[in-house]
Structure formats: structure tokens, C-alpha cells
């Protein structure tokens, strides 16, 4: 499985952009990068995913380096409600079909006033 | 729209007692279903996944079992709980296609005493 490495914690001021890095140096050419977040005691919430190109949706932007060995999730204007654990995940195929998303320990983002 | 139901929200069980956690999905057919566990301060660990009725795959050896008696029903069980079974259990489903996001339930906090 392609592993991901994230900093354990980050702080961000409310209203500023939060840039969350992720390293996935062993990623294969056909593996997608997914980002989820988990607010305390809730199920993880999908944010965004990408393969090669940068992606943007209503929640965030995903910047993937040209060699695909790392990516950055950008929350353009962080709010207090964005305080959560953010997981960077590489999709892996399963033996009997489907796909497995392996969640590491993620980055605890704390947004402060 | 699709929704996922998971219950109960919290559960306290004595060591050696049985366990049954239920998850149901509405608004979709033939989903891929997953059971994850999250120990305190740890990432999510995939326990079981299912690509169809009666088809269960286990990712890690453990004291738990899973069953899928109906297309949109996924059950996590144990005959005798251990202290190490404590954790936050999450059910998830996946929609196949280009956007293969996982949608998570609200989770069950299980405490084995």
C-alpha cells in the first residue's frame, strides 16, 4: 500500500488559508489521492480527491506536485468549524473488488480566533 | 438521496458479552459496505468489507465477524467481547464510478468494561 505522511498538528488563524501538506512518495501511477476530515466523535467527511491535475470544489483546493509524490490541501478561508483531523489517503485496490482507503493518524488542524 | 444509518450511538458492554452493531443504507443498490474501527487517538482501521450479499472479506484477524444478510444491511458481531474491542466503530458505503467517495455513518462508541 502507498503510505502517506502528514504532520500531526497545525494551527491556523480564522480567515486565513490553511495549507495541509501530505507526502506519498511511493504512490503508483493509477492511485488517487483522497482527503477526508473528521470532526471529533463523528464519521469522516469526504473533502476532495485527485489523480494528477489540481482540483477545486466548494470546500477546498487540492494541489498535486508534478511527480505526484506530495500534495497540499488548501482551505482558502479557514473558520472555527474547520477544526478537525484531516486525513490524506491513497486509494488501494482490494483482493475481492472494491477499493480500500487506509486512514493514517492525519493532521489535527486547530483554527483559532 | 442516499443516507446511512448506524446504531446505537453509544454502547457499554461487559467483557464476555455478545455484540451486534447494525448499519443500513438507503437510496442506493448494491453498495460496497465497510466496517472501520478507531481506537482512541489512532487512525481508522478497516475491519471488513463487502461487495455483495453474503460476501464478506476480513482485513485483519480479530474477535469480530461481519454479515450482510440483505443488500443494504451490514452487521458487525462478536460472540464474546474483549477489552481490546473498545473503540469507535464506523460503517461506510461506497458509490462505484469515477467519484468513489466513502460515505460514513455517525459511528458507535463501544466501551467494553
Amino acid at each position: 500500500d502507498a503510505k502517506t505522511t502528514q504532520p500531526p498538528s497545525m494551527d491556523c488563524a480564522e480567515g486565513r488559508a490553511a495549507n495541509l501538506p501530505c507526502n506519498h512518495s511511493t504512490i503508483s501511477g493509477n492511485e488517487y489521492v483522497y482527503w477526508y476530515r473528521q470532526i471529533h466523535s463523528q464519521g469522516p467527511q469526504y473533502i476532495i480527491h485527485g489523480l494528477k491535475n489540481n482540483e477545486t470544489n466548494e470546500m477546498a483546493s487540492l494541489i498535486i506536485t508534478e511527480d505526484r509524490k506530495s500534495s497540499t490541501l488548501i482551505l482558502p478561508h479557514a473558520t472555527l468549524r474547520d477544526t478537525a483531523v484531516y486525513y490524506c489517503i491513497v486509494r488501494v485496490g482490494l483482493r475481492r473488488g472494491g477499493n480500500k482507503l487506509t486512514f493514517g493518524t492525519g493532521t489535527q488542524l486547530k483554527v483559532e480566533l | 438521496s442516499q443516507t446511512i444509518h448506524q446504531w446505537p450511538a453509544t454502547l457499554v458492554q461487559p467483557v464476555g458479552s455478545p455484540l451486534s452493531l447494525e448499519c443500513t443504507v438507503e437510496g442506493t443498490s448494491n453498495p460496497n459496505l465497510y466496517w472501520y474501527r478507531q481506537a482512541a487517538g489512532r487512525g481508522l482501521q478497516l475491519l471488513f468489507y463487502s461487495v455483495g450479499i453474503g460476501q464478506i472479506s476480513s482485513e485483519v484477524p480479530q474477535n469480530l465477524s461481519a454479515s450482510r444478510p440483505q443488500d443494504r444491511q451490514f452487521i458487525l458481531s462478536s460472540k464474546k467481547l474483549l477489552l481490546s474491542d473498545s473503540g469507535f466503530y464506523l460503517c461506510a458505503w461506497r458509490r462505484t464510478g469515477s467519484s468513489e467517495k466513502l460515505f460514513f455513518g455517525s459511528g458507535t462508541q463501544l466501551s467494553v468494561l
Side-chain angles (χ1 to χ4, degrees), chain A residues 20-102:
Chain A
L20 297 149
C22 179
N23 288 325
H24 31 79
S25 58
T26 60
I27 193 171
S28 299
N30 61 347
E31 290 177 325
Y32 284 76
V33 179
Y34 281 73
W35 282 84
Y36 284 75
R37 72 179 183 185
Q38 185 178 24
I39 297 171
H40 183 62
S41 298
Q42 297 182 24
Q45 175 192 24
Y46 167 85
I47 301 173
I48 199 168
H49 75 282
L51 181 63
K52 295 181 180 179
N53 300 320
N54 298 337
E55 302 288 344
T56 295
N57 62 20
E58 64 279 3
M59 291 184 68
S61 295
L62 175 60
I63 309 298
I64 303 174
T65 58
E66 191 170 342
D67 63 8
R68 302 209 326 121
K69 292 184 177 182
S70 65
S71 61
T72 301
L73 178 75
I74 301 173
L75 308 178
H77 305 286
T79 70
L80 297 177
R81 286 177 293 183
D82 292 322
T83 292
V85 177
Y86 287 77
Y87 297 99
C88 168
I89 305 149
V90 174
R91 188 184 75 181
V92 178
L94 289 166
R95 298 184 305 276
R96 292 180 60 181
N99 290 285
K100 177 170 80 171
L101 296 182
T102 300

Side-chain angles (χ1 to χ4, degrees), chain B residues 23-45:
Chain B
C23 171
T24 59
V25 181
E26 295 179 358
T28 187
S29 59
N30 197 30
N32 284 9
L33 297 172
Y34 304 79
W35 276 112
Y36 281 86
R37 176 172 63 198
Q38 186 174 34
R42 307 283 295 276
L44 278 73
Q45 179 187 38

Side-chain angles (χ1 to χ4, degrees), chain B residues 25-86:
Chain B
V25 181
E26 295 179 358
T28 187
S29 59
N30 197 30
N32 284 9
L33 297 172
Y34 304 79
W35 276 112
Y36 281 86
R37 176 172 63 198
Q38 186 174 34
R42 307 283 295 276
L44 278 73
Q45 179 187 38
L46 179 63
L47 301 176
F48 301 95
Y49 67 95
S50 171
V51 298
I53 296 174
Q55 299 181 60
I56 307 295
S57 294
S58 174
E59 282 294 294
V60 293
Q62 58 206 306
N63 183 45
L64 303 167
S65 62
S67 62
R68 186 168 176 177
Q70 301 180 43
D71 181 45
R72 289 169 287 179
Q73 184 184 30
F74 205 23
I75 298 172
L76 183 69
S77 304
S78 174
K79 293 182 179 178
K80 289 185 178 181
L81 284 169
L82 306 173
L83 289 174
S84 57
D85 292 324
S86 294

